[in-house]
Amino acid sequence: MPTLRTTAQRLGTATALALFLTPLPLLAQDQDTDQDASSAQEGATSQASSKQASSESIPLVPGTPTWDSFHGQLNAQKYSPLDQINADNVGDLEKVWEIHTGDVSDGSGDLPPTVWSATPVFANDTLYIGTPFYRILALDPATGEQKWSFDTESTLEAMTQPALKSRGVAYWEAEDPKEGESCQKIVYLGTMDAQLFAVDADTGEKCTSFADNGVLDVNQWNDTHDKWPLSLLQPPTVVGDHLILGWAGKDWAFEQAPPGTVFSINARTGEREWSFNALSDEMREKSGTANVWTHMSADEENGLVYLPISSPSPNYWGGNRTEDVPLATSTTALDVDTGEVVWSRQWVHHDVWDYDINAAPTLMDITVDGEEIPALIQATKQGFLFVVNRLTGEDVWPIEERPVPQGDGSVKGEEYADTQPFPTKPAPLLDQSEKPKVWKLADVVGGGECSALWDDLTYEGMYTPPTTKGEGALAYPDSAGGVQWGGVAFDPVSQTAIVNTSHIVQTIKLYDREAYEKADSGSGNESGFAPQTGAPYGMRLEVARNWLGMPCWEPPFGEVVALDMKTGDVKWRRPIGSSQQYGFFMPESWGSPTIGGPAVTAGNLVFIGASMDAKLRAYSLDSGEELWEDQAEAPAVANPAVYEYDGREYVAFVAGGNSILKDQVGDQVVVYALPEDDE
């Protein structure tokens, strides 16, 4: 039987402050057909090496400026080789156009509030935008003038989320478009009720040859614990002619839930090609989720798609799933043509903290100790950055299994993992080894409220299990991250990685059923009470704040960090943004929690929104110095886009807001460029 190393050689070488402010064995198995590991591995090896022999080389970093997907490129580097805007002239950046879509709600009327995290997609000489009312806008990239719009006429109900939510559209085009034929270029938009729409990228007309007259009902495959629709809030990941499709559901609601199937759909016809299940048939019957609700990345040359897989249900009690669930809370590499597992690494064993892998791993070629390594970096909610060989899943720097706390015995039925994986490099983005210090200012203002809370919270390190005692367990970082879905950006020239991270403390408490019914006082967006119906325990997750809403832990509350990926060491780090409460902005030196990720350019710049203060910023890639800022109408909780049109470089932001950060929503698309005489 070939080893995983042989397989790699054959493949090729190439959530809520909101309110405020030895490794696991590598896996190769076919979950759909229950093949054993050996036969699945051999099949994946044979198919992948055959495919590689017949395909042309596809560079990891596109040879031309590309921003045609959620993370800019399939490698999720969020990198542009454009340098017209650079560290010397970015201070001259000016707004060249903006639009307001009208698709916005603050929740005070008949509609739920909106959460808008759509990366603008530049393709086909057009800027494509998907809105939280499930419309597609095709815009002139230089002026913002509307070319066409398409309305899915979807039901605007918060079926699986506390808000109307969208992360935008996906784009596909035929390798050899046939002139005069429609739908040789397609834009896709999913809806909360599990409908995937395909429209012609030139005209905005539905592609009648796709699925059922241009609409694919993904919920037809929702056949186990059908408690909610398979909400399509994240656009598909487009790899060749494949649409790789995950879905979102309800956190914390049920013990048994729809299990996390990923589908490969033919981009032209909408036909299902393969399905991948992260849970075994037995586990699917008693648990659920372990889904992929965020974007994925892909190595096209080697025929691999990388899945960031979430935790099983219920999130904060695992007595129904004490056996190994090896693909849950993992990064898993699949053969894109077959859906077979090539390798998998689990980053949290027996996850009872809702530590979903929530961002696409960023693919990169790095030089470590003189050796060129095809790598990926997986950011996590825990503030860890796991770096492995993207072809084999093997460590680049050692990842150690270390003993972790085993709980206080108050939660019945649990069997906690003895160890958890810890990366040795890069170092954790925040120190989870000790209980965060109480912020003296918040404690004084709160009349000792914070220190009293700290005394009543259990903390033995990051993997402190949930408890029924006192005020519960302190969670740091919490399930909101750490790092959120924006993920890691990467400059392939200097081999510098850029990541924004939130420093948030929350409290987790479990309640038996009788106690939960008495305690339940409702929930918000990623906070409050949740029933975990069917499990013996309901739960409460809250941000650790005083009566005035000030965080009880010391700042900074969020940072941007740059890492040298040749050594795994930090190059620089700095607070990002200002936290806000009741209209008052705190000093920027205290930072802000963030949602949304960075973009990096060959102009030695990092562009990012993401912060509570709703500002847009540019930093020096070399030093971290802030070089430019502007005010948006709401927090830009989407990744920015960088593109070139008619010889001019543009930077585009969507400012839509997210109530996890604060109750401020927007419908603004805003685009910047240099004054034309400066270019």
Side-chain angles (χ1 to χ4, degrees):
M1 182 184 80
T3 66
L4 283 171
R5 188 179 298 276
T6 304
T7 302
Q9 291 168 344
R10 293 185 183 180
L11 282 170
T13 57
T15 351
L17 173 62
L19 304 173
F20 155 37
L21 324 162
T22 323
L24 182 72
L26 307 182
L27 302 173
Q29 54 189 298
D30 184 340
Q31 293 290 313
D32 276 343
T33 60
D34 289 330
Q35 293 176 333
D36 64 31
S38 300
S39 61
Q41 179 180 308
E42 290 168 356
T45 301
S46 174
Q47 292 157 358
S49 62
S50 172
K51 173 173 54 185
Q52 176 64 19
S54 63
S55 66
E56 296 182 2
S57 176
I58 304 174
L60 182 70
V61 180
T64 57
T66 302
W67 217 279
D68 60 3
S69 64
F70 185 75
H71 287 299
Q73 312 86 32
L74 274 175
N75 56 30
Q77 289 186 1
K78 297 170 279 292
Y79 168 75
S80 173
L82 298 173
D83 61 3
Q84 185 181 95
I85 304 170
N86 56 57
D88 293 329
N89 61 24
V90 68
D92 297 330
L93 212 58
E94 65 180 17
K95 184 191 304 182
V96 293
W97 62 263
E98 69 176 310
I99 66 162
H100 294 267
T101 69
D103 293 3
V104 62
S105 170
D106 63 5
S108 62
D110 295 334
L111 293 176
T114 48
V115 167
W116 193 24
S117 312
T119 300
V121 167
F122 175 73
N124 192 33
D125 284 340
T126 304
L127 203 65
Y128 296 103
I129 306 287
T131 81
F133 285 8
Y134 309 110
R135 293 196 305 136
I136 304 172
L137 306 180
L139 307 175
D140 183 293
T143 66
E145 181 181 355
Q146 183 173 292
K147 296 183 175 183
W148 56 258
S149 67
F150 174 81
D151 191 346
T152 66
E153 299 181 354
S154 179
T155 301
L156 300 183
E157 296 180 7
M159 301 174 184
T160 58
Q161 307 286 304
L164 300 175
K165 183 182 294 187
S166 176
R167 296 198 185 98
V169 300
Y171 176 84
W172 168 88
E173 66 178 58
E175 187 173 354
D176 296 307
K178 296 179 181 178
E179 191 172 349
E181 287 195 18
S182 64
C183 295
Q184 300 296 287
K185 302 173 182 178
I186 301 177
V187 180
Y188 307 90
L189 177 68
T191 65
M192 192 173 290
D193 60 358
Q195 308 300 298
L196 181 65
F197 288 78
V199 302
D200 186 289
D202 290 322
T203 67
E205 299 293 325
K206 281 198 292 189
C207 295
T208 56
S209 59
F210 180 87
D212 183 9
N213 197 36
V215 186
L216 175 64
D217 179 10
V218 174
N219 218 46
Q220 65 184 294
W221 302 315
N222 189 2
D223 56 9
T224 305
H225 308 314
D226 180 7
K227 290 183 167 67
W228 59 64
L230 305 182
S231 293
L232 306 177
L233 309 180
Q234 178 71 48
T237 302
V238 181
V239 189
D241 285 346
H242 305 283
L243 306 181
I244 313 300
L245 198 62
W247 52 265
K250 287 185 177 181
D251 275 343
W252 316 341
F254 300 102
E255 175 187 22
Q256 296 177 328
T261 309
V262 172
F263 307 103
S264 177
I265 309 299
N266 183 277
R268 302 169 185 268
T269 68
E271 295 180 355
R272 184 172 60 168
E273 300 166 327
W274 51 257
S275 300
F276 162 82
N277 298 310
L279 302 179
S280 67
D281 289 344
E282 179 185 6
M283 188 60 68
R284 285 164 64 90
E285 290 302 317
K286 59 185 180 180
S287 179
T289 59
N291 57 321
V292 177
W293 56 261
T294 188
H295 211 58
M296 296 163 256
S297 50
D299 182 335
E300 290 186 279
E301 179 170 13
N302 293 299
L304 296 175
V305 60
Y306 300 91
L307 276 56
I309 300 177
S310 73
S311 60
S313 65
N315 296 90
Y316 290 98
W317 178 77
N320 65 328
R321 47 181 174 86
T322 55
E323 60 267 56
D324 287 341
V325 189
L327 297 180
T329 319
S330 75
T331 303
T332 295
L334 304 184
D335 184 295
V336 72
D337 287 333
T338 67
E340 293 173 334
V341 177
V342 176
W343 61 261
S344 184
R345 292 296 296 269
Q346 186 174 67
W347 304 126
V348 184
H349 311 321
H350 189 67
D351 186 353
V352 291
W353 302 272
D354 191 26
Y355 279 151
D356 298 347
I357 305 305
N358 62 350
T362 301
L363 315 184
M364 54 185 67
D365 295 325
I366 57 177
T367 306
V368 179
D369 295 331
E371 179 185 0
E372 294 185 6
I373 299 174
L376 68 74
I377 183 169
Q378 180 65 73
T380 72
K381 289 182 177 182
Q382 305 96 289
F384 284 154
L385 299 170
F386 293 102
V387 184
V388 299
N389 185 306
R390 69 174 181 270
L391 305 182
T392 66
E394 296 172 320
D395 301 359
V396 171
W397 292 287
I399 298 169
E400 300 175 349
E401 290 286 331
R402 298 177 185 170
V404 292
Q406 294 299 294
D408 58 15
S410 68
V411 180
K412 306 305 179 186
E414 277 289 11
E415 295 180 18
Y416 302 111
D418 293 330
T419 64
Q420 296 288 355
F422 287 76
T424 56
K425 273 197 171 186
L429 294 172
L430 63 171
D431 183 6
Q432 325 101 327
S433 63
E434 296 182 354
K435 201 172 192 176
K437 294 180 179 179
V438 171
W439 189 20
K440 291 182 180 179
L441 177 59
D443 201 35
V444 170
V445 171
E449 186 179 2
C450 291
S451 56
L453 174 62
W454 251 234
D455 290 342
D456 210 10
L457 288 170
T458 301
Y459 192 71
E460 301 176 79
M462 183 180 58
Y463 288 108
T464 302
T467 178
T468 65
K469 295 183 177 181
E471 286 298 315
L474 184 147
Y476 182 70
D478 72 316
S479 68
V483 183
Q484 263 292 348
W485 63 74
V488 179
F490 181 70
D491 170 32
V493 178
S494 65
Q495 298 189 22
T496 301
I498 301 289
V499 60
N500 54 296
T501 179
S502 298
H503 301 187
I504 300 174
V505 173
Q506 286 190 303
T507 65
I508 301 169
K509 184 173 181 177
L510 297 184
Y511 298 81
D512 64 32
R513 298 267 47 116
E514 181 179 357
Y516 179 80
E517 297 304 322
K518 294 177 181 178
D520 182 10
S521 60
S523 63
N525 188 358
E526 299 294 321
S527 66
F529 288 81
Q532 301 192 135
T533 301
Y537 297 95
M539 49 78 63
R540 183 197 70 198
L541 183 71
E542 292 184 338
V543 178
R545 302 176 298 161
N546 67 15
W547 66 272
L548 192 58
M550 298 174 68
C552 282
W553 65 99
E554 289 185 341
F557 307 122
E559 294 181 292
V560 179
V561 184
L563 302 120
D564 184 342
M565 294 308 296
K566 299 183 291 294
T567 64
D569 296 330
V570 171
K571 295 179 70 171
W572 55 261
R573 63 190 305 155
R574 58 160 296 141
I576 175 175
S578 297
S579 296
Q580 184 185 20
Q581 181 77 350
Y582 306 127
F584 171 70
F585 286 98
M586 298 184 180
E588 288 198 18
S589 60
W590 295 353
S592 165
T594 61
I595 297 178
V600 62
T601 77
N604 285 324
L605 292 172
V606 178
F607 288 101
I608 189 169
S611 56
M612 287 182 80
D613 56 15
K615 288 187 177 180
L616 315 170
R617 291 177 169 87
Y619 297 107
S620 164
L621 177 64
D622 294 330
S623 68
E625 178 186 359
E626 183 178 315
L627 302 174
W628 170 85
E629 70 173 37
D630 197 28
Q631 185 72 49
E633 76 167 18
V637 294
N639 295 343
V642 182
Y643 63 90
E644 182 180 46
Y645 182 69
D646 281 350
R648 195 178 191 190
E649 181 181 349
Y650 298 85
V651 184
F653 295 86
V654 162
N658 188 319
S659 55
I660 292 177
L661 280 181
K662 66 175 180 177
D663 293 328
Q664 182 181 17
V665 296
D667 65 343
Q668 182 186 32
V669 182
V670 58
V671 179
Y672 298 87
L674 293 173
E676 293 191 271
D677 56 0
D678 284 3
E679 297 168 13

